[in-house]
mmCIF file of all heavy atoms in Angstrom:
data_model
loop_
_atom_site.group_PDB
_atom_site.id
_atom_site.type_symbol
_atom_site.label_atom_id
_atom_site.label_comp_id
_atom_site.label_asym_id
_atom_site.label_seq_id
_atom_site.Cartn_x
_atom_site.Cartn_y
_atom_site.Cartn_z
ATOM 1 N N LEU A 312 93.380 88.920 93.121
ATOM 2 C CA LEU A 312 94.816 88.506 93.113
ATOM 3 C C LEU A 312 94.878 86.935 93.056
ATOM 4 O O LEU A 312 93.926 86.245 93.312
ATOM 5 C CB LEU A 312 95.517 88.984 94.328
ATOM 6 C CG LEU A 312 95.629 90.493 94.497
ATOM 7 C CD1 LEU A 312 96.498 90.897 95.643
ATOM 8 C CD2 LEU A 312 96.134 91.158 93.225
ATOM 9 N N LEU A 351 100.208 85.472 95.551
ATOM 10 C CA LEU A 351 99.557 86.444 96.419
ATOM 11 C C LEU A 351 100.561 87.391 97.115
ATOM 12 O O LEU A 351 100.334 88.596 97.138
ATOM 13 C CB LEU A 351 98.724 85.716 97.498
ATOM 14 C CG LEU A 351 97.438 85.159 97.068
ATOM 15 C CD1 LEU A 351 96.699 84.599 98.216
ATOM 16 C CD2 LEU A 351 96.586 86.202 96.335
ATOM 17 N N ASP A 352 101.571 86.867 97.769
ATOM 18 C CA ASP A 352 102.489 87.698 98.524
ATOM 19 C C ASP A 352 103.093 88.813 97.649
ATOM 20 O O ASP A 352 103.150 89.937 98.047
ATOM 21 C CB ASP A 352 103.578 86.867 99.191
ATOM 22 C CG ASP A 352 103.030 85.959 100.291
ATOM 23 O OD1 ASP A 352 101.948 86.264 100.842
ATOM 24 O OD2 ASP A 352 103.676 84.946 100.630
ATOM 25 N N ASP A 353 103.556 88.415 96.497
ATOM 26 C CA ASP A 353 104.158 89.398 95.568
ATOM 27 C C ASP A 353 103.075 90.372 95.134
ATOM 28 O O ASP A 353 103.326 91.592 95.077
ATOM 29 C CB ASP A 353 104.729 88.694 94.343
ATOM 30 C CG ASP A 353 105.424 89.653 93.408
ATOM 31 O OD1 ASP A 353 106.255 90.456 93.883
ATOM 32 O OD2 ASP A 353 105.137 89.592 92.217
ATOM 33 N N GLY A 354 101.906 89.929 94.798
ATOM 34 C CA GLY A 354 100.817 90.803 94.342
ATOM 35 C C GLY A 354 100.409 91.818 95.380
ATOM 36 O O GLY A 354 100.293 93.023 95.126
ATOM 37 N N ILE A 355 100.281 91.390 96.663
ATOM 38 C CA ILE A 355 99.926 92.317 97.718
ATOM 39 C C ILE A 355 101.048 93.322 97.967
ATOM 40 O O ILE A 355 100.755 94.515 98.108
ATOM 41 C CB ILE A 355 99.575 91.540 99.002
ATOM 42 C CG1 ILE A 355 98.283 90.750 98.794
ATOM 43 C CG2 ILE A 355 99.410 92.495 100.189
ATOM 44 C CD1 ILE A 355 97.965 89.707 99.918
ATOM 45 N N ALA A 356 102.281 92.812 97.965
ATOM 46 C CA ALA A 356 103.413 93.755 98.221
ATOM 47 C C ALA A 356 103.493 94.811 97.133
ATOM 48 O O ALA A 356 103.712 95.981 97.409
ATOM 49 C CB ALA A 356 104.706 92.946 98.290
ATOM 50 N N ARG A 357 103.265 94.385 95.866
ATOM 51 C CA ARG A 357 103.332 95.356 94.764
ATOM 52 C C ARG A 357 102.198 96.360 94.802
ATOM 53 O O ARG A 357 102.361 97.545 94.465
ATOM 54 C CB ARG A 357 103.406 94.598 93.466
ATOM 55 C CG ARG A 357 104.727 93.851 93.329
ATOM 56 C CD ARG A 357 104.954 93.149 91.996
ATOM 57 N NE ARG A 357 105.015 94.157 90.979
ATOM 58 C CZ ARG A 357 104.325 94.120 89.830
ATOM 59 N NH1 ARG A 357 103.573 93.083 89.601
ATOM 60 N NH2 ARG A 357 104.499 95.021 88.882
ATOM 61 N N LEU A 358 100.992 95.914 95.239
ATOM 62 C CA LEU A 358 99.893 96.841 95.346
ATOM 63 C C LEU A 358 100.178 97.842 96.446
ATOM 64 O O LEU A 358 99.912 99.028 96.308
ATOM 65 C CB LEU A 358 98.592 96.112 95.650
ATOM 66 C CG LEU A 358 97.773 95.679 94.459
ATOM 67 C CD1 LEU A 358 96.465 95.019 94.931
ATOM 68 C CD2 LEU A 358 97.488 96.835 93.532
ATOM 69 N N LYS A 359 100.707 97.366 97.572
ATOM 70 C CA LYS A 359 101.036 98.251 98.697
ATOM 71 C C LYS A 359 102.066 99.309 98.273
ATOM 72 O O LYS A 359 102.054 100.437 98.744
ATOM 73 C CB LYS A 359 101.536 97.469 99.903
ATOM 74 C CG LYS A 359 100.412 96.784 100.594
ATOM 75 C CD LYS A 359 100.916 95.991 101.850
ATOM 76 C CE LYS A 359 99.830 95.339 102.583
ATOM 77 N NZ LYS A 359 100.287 94.582 103.756
ATOM 78 N N ALA A 360 102.962 98.929 97.365
ATOM 79 C CA ALA A 360 104.029 99.819 96.898
ATOM 80 C C ALA A 360 103.482 100.863 95.899
ATOM 81 O O ALA A 360 104.089 101.892 95.745
ATOM 82 C CB ALA A 360 105.174 99.057 96.270
ATOM 83 N N THR A 361 102.401 100.591 95.245
ATOM 84 C CA THR A 361 101.918 101.466 94.175
ATOM 85 C C THR A 361 100.575 102.185 94.528
ATOM 86 O O THR A 361 100.233 103.126 93.824
ATOM 87 C CB THR A 361 101.733 100.727 92.869
ATOM 88 O OG1 THR A 361 100.896 99.584 93.053
ATOM 89 C CG2 THR A 361 103.063 100.259 92.333
#
Side-chain angles (χ1 to χ4, degrees):
L312 298 186
L351 284 185
D352 292 338
D353 183 52
I355 293 170
R357 293 185 64 229
L358 270 182
K359 286 181 178 179
T361 55

